[in-house]
Amino acid sequence: MSVPYEYETACEPQSAEQKSPHSPQEHLERLLRRALNSFDLPDDTIGRLESALAYDSSLHSAHHSAGLHRETYRHTWLLADAGALTLWELVHNTGPGSHAQYELYADEDEAGIATARLPLPPDTPAAACEQPVVLQLPVTDEPRHTYIPDDSADHARRLLRRAENSVGEGRPGEDIGRLLRSAFAHQITQAFGRPCLAGEARLCFSLYEHAFLLFDGSELSLWEVEHTVTPDKRHRCEVYVSEEAARAAMEQRARSLPRQRTK
């Protein structure tokens, strides 16, 4: 769908006072003015667009469901040197108050990551999709995970934030944290033990796998150990990058139990 100079989003009907600009530069100014993250765009990108000769926009993808909507638009400018430059605009109403919000990106992958963080299935065709999306990986030698699109990047941040073990003790580092920023679906599975209930006097161990599906289609799992092998028997959360490391930590905690009981 091509809409040169007459671009309107589905969220923002234009009044007579808000007619589309008549030049490529005016249209760029309008996009920058409403984008919440316009300050993140590279200065050299904005500088190149000052010489734009023509402008075109098209709808790239969209999702509408249960009162929420999201559209991604491709804005392309023809430059004076005969080159082309594209910006990607994300429009959605998933924020507080369901008001339309606008975000602008110079890279399609960055726009895709931003789209994946929304509580909607990312990169669906430009049509309504009323059924919830369940994602499954192809059959492999390992058990398949069933993923539900969710605010998975935030779940990963919260999981790492509550981990009490250090990086030197097996906690995932910043490199893993950066990868998990593109997580858009996840599944939590209990691999060992039972939930440690608040107020329990007995010692307990639980092991959970937090499996994440990333924007590029790859998987990444974090392993959470929850236990009460602490001086005051309080619950402690530890996170590891592999099941082997998590189980080794559990075994180490279990070996310390006899020494604690003799104190």
Side-chain angles (χ1 to χ4, degrees), residues 44-67:
D44 59 340
T45 297
I46 304 303
R48 292 183 65 197
L49 290 175
E50 292 178 356
S51 65
L53 302 176
Y55 164 81
D56 189 73
S57 70
S58 61
L59 179 64
H60 177 64
S61 66
H63 178 88
H64 296 255
S65 179

Side-chain angles (χ1 to χ4, degrees), residues 2 52 105 125 150 165 170:
S2 180
Y105 298 91
D150 201 348
N165 55 320

Side-chain angles (χ1 to χ4, degrees), residues 30 56 63 83 103 160 164 188 195 221:
R30 179 168 177 260
D56 189 73
H63 178 88
E103 302 171 24
L160 292 174
E164 297 185 51
I188 305 173
S221 286

Side-chain angles (χ1 to χ4, degrees), residues 57-109:
S57 70
S58 61
L59 179 64
H60 177 64
S61 66
H63 178 88
H64 296 255
S65 179
L68 298 177
H69 56 74
R70 180 269 300 164
E71 297 88 29
T72 302
Y73 292 88
R74 180 193 293 110
H75 300 274
T76 303
W77 286 261
L78 177 65
L79 306 181
D81 61 2
L85 195 154
T86 297
L87 295 181
W88 302 83
E89 184 181 34
L90 174 61
V91 185
H92 64 92
N93 71 338
T94 63
S98 298
H99 300 299
Q101 298 185 18
Y102 303 84
E103 302 171 24
L104 206 56
Y105 298 91
D107 184 85
E108 182 179 4
D109 288 341

